[in-house]
Amino acid sequence: MAVIHRATLTPTKLEAVVAWLPSQSWAPASEGEAVVAGRFRFDDPAGEVGIETLLVRTGDGTVLTVPLTYRGAPLAGAEAFLVTQMDHSVLGRRWVYDAVGDPVWADTTRRAIATGGHEADLVTAVEGRYEPGSKEGFAQGSGSAADSPSVTEVAVGTEGTVTSVDTGHGRLLVLRVLGGEVPAGETLTARWDGADPAVVVVLAP
């Protein structure tokens, strides 16, 4: 279960991503306003790291996979993956990372794919109580394993519009630009408003 706080973010998630995308080799140039078409979260079992994937629709209609992790302190060795530092009106300073470089994202994503897991349920923290949260997207793994080995380190490389994450227990392939050819393998698919059928966003070949 992921806890969502009603908070002011400076910069906003979309502002941070839009400022960061031009520096990424896989991100196509696009004119016009980008929007978050959908999003889904996974739950960090330790309760320390926020794990969220944004499906960002650019001005020309292209949808990009942008997984992010939110941390309360810098992640050692992950400077190359830092998207921004963000001020959160409830949680304070947050370090926002391109999640492909974060072992917690790799661990939860690989487990979801291997076991047929799905996105976390959401609750909203309101004045000391929790209320059910509304989802803006859904994710589903294709596997049926009972469990998945823990991931503690990652090695990352990008070729074209696919980012490969070596987890030590196989690779994860993040399809940064959606709608193209999909390699064979176990999958994590996503659905959001306007996406029917579900779209493959991550593979475990």
Side-chain angles (χ1 to χ4, degrees), residues 4-26:
I4 308 301
H5 298 273
R6 291 181 177 172
T8 300
L9 305 179
T10 308
T12 68
K13 295 173 185 179
L14 183 58
E15 287 171 345
V17 167
V18 167
W20 169 77
L21 281 174
S23 67
Q24 303 306 300
S25 62
W26 50 265

Side-chain angles (χ1 to χ4, degrees), residues 39-204:
R39 70 183 84 203
F40 59 86
R41 283 184 173 259
F42 287 136
D43 186 36
D44 172 18
E48 295 295 328
V49 180
I51 308 166
E52 183 176 39
T53 295
L54 304 185
L55 291 314
V56 177
R57 181 181 292 116
T58 64
D60 63 3
T62 302
V63 179
L64 308 177
T65 305
V66 184
L68 301 172
T69 52
Y70 311 108
R71 287 176 168 267
L75 174 60
E79 293 81 4
F81 300 99
L82 184 66
V83 174
T84 193
Q85 293 183 44
M86 173 184 291
D87 289 320
H88 189 293
S89 63
V90 175
L91 300 177
R93 196 70 163 170
R94 307 294 284 173
W95 281 257
V96 182
Y97 290 93
D98 179 10
V100 298
D102 194 323
V104 172
W105 173 85
D107 183 62
T108 56
T109 299
R110 190 185 189 286
R111 182 168 286 106
I113 292 173
T115 65
H118 57 79
E119 81 288 340
D121 291 328
L122 306 179
V123 294
T124 301
V126 181
E127 297 180 350
R129 66 182 188 279
Y130 295 116
E131 299 178 352
S134 59
K135 296 181 180 181
E136 298 177 46
F138 306 88
Q140 180 69 56
S142 65
S144 58
D147 202 357
S148 173
S150 295
V151 177
T152 58
E153 296 182 355
V154 294
V156 181
T158 295
E159 183 173 345
T161 60
V162 178
T163 297
S164 176
V165 182
D166 186 345
T167 68
H169 306 287
R171 292 181 301 150
L172 299 173
L173 302 181
V174 182
L175 306 185
R176 296 291 203 167
V177 178
L178 300 183
E181 183 178 352
V182 177
E186 296 285 4
T187 62
L188 181 74
T189 56
R191 291 187 297 109
W192 63 94
D193 187 26
D196 187 25
V199 179
V200 175
V201 291
V202 184
L203 290 106

